Amino acid sequence: FDELDEGFGVGRGASFSSEDLFISYSAVIGWVSPDLANTSDNLYATVSLIGNSSSSALKGANWGKTIPSGVEILGIEITIERKSDITGIRDIRVQLVKAGVAVGDNKADTATDWPLADATVTYGSPTDLWGTTWTPADINDPGVAVELEVRNPSGVTKIAFVDALRMKVYYSGPDDAISYWILDADATGRIVTN
């Protein structure tokens, strides 16, 4: 497991528009110990968000598995086990990455606060391609990933915790049987930040 961009940092994405005061964030803050989001074990990647700030991307990538060629990709699910210490942490981006570039739909639930106790949320479905097309080569590419960014819209410092990240790819083979393939960071993957 590798760690990148560990600790706190102020950088990209700063916005100070008075018109967007309540929806823009003045700082982008990095995740601490991102590799701890690799399995459901109550050890967490964390980010402490000061008031009106957002996190950098927590990225699950380099899964180290391959899907058979010649199959049709039917859908992709992302599950994230997470919580916050105080009500108010919300998603701002949950997005898939193809060949190293964020693509398709942002599935973030921007209206719902993260729970105070560990809970798993699922984004996507067995029939959801996230607004783009996928081939086995896309899924097998080392650049396939999921990125999560969160925000704290209030003036009180809050901590976001991520315990586990998982990607599940549903596909149909030549015999039309539906199968799935789990990209689990606790196996051969790694969790990094941008």
Side-chain angles (χ1 to χ4, degrees):
F1 298 105
D2 293 334
E3 292 180 34
L4 301 175
D5 192 24
E6 183 175 279
F8 292 48
V10 177
R12 67 174 180 80
S15 176
F16 300 99
S17 168
S18 60
E19 296 171 21
D20 297 329
L21 183 61
F22 297 107
I23 59 170
S24 63
Y25 302 94
S26 59
V28 176
I29 300 174
W31 291 83
V32 175
S33 302
D35 59 314
L36 293 180
N38 63 2
T39 190
S40 180
D41 58 4
N42 296 321
L43 299 173
Y44 301 91
T46 62
V47 62
S48 181
L49 297 172
I50 60 174
N52 297 319
S53 65
S54 62
S55 74
S56 63
L58 181 64
K59 182 176 182 179
N62 298 322
W63 306 98
K65 297 181 181 180
T66 58
I67 196 167
S69 61
V71 300
E72 177 187 3
I73 308 301
L74 303 174
I76 300 172
E77 283 182 357
I78 299 298
T79 56
I80 302 173
E81 185 178 348
R82 81 284 193 272
K83 68 179 182 176
S84 67
D85 68 332
I86 300 172
T87 301
I89 295 290
R90 293 185 178 181
D91 300 343
I92 50 173
R93 192 166 71 90
V94 178
Q95 194 167 13
L96 297 177
V97 175
K98 185 192 301 187
V101 177
V103 296
D105 298 336
N106 175 2
K107 298 288 184 177
D109 181 355
T110 60
T112 303
D113 291 342
W114 280 24
L116 300 178
D118 239 8
T120 300
V121 65
T122 300
Y123 305 87
S125 74
T127 59
D128 187 348
L129 294 173
W130 295 60
T132 190
T133 58
W134 294 92
T135 67
D138 294 329
I139 300 295
N140 294 337
D141 187 282
V144 72
V146 58
E147 292 182 335
L148 165 70
E149 293 177 22
V150 298
R151 69 182 175 102
N152 172 11
S154 78
V156 177
T157 299
K158 299 173 184 177
I159 301 172
F161 300 83
V162 175
D163 193 7
L165 249 160
R166 172 178 274 182
M167 179 186 290
K168 193 174 195 179
V169 178
Y170 292 84
Y171 61 91
S172 176
D175 59 359
D176 289 330
I178 296 176
S179 303
Y180 62 87
W181 176 67
I182 298 174
L183 298 162
D184 199 359
D186 65 350
T188 57
R190 67 178 180 154
I191 305 294
V192 299
T193 58
N194 281 348

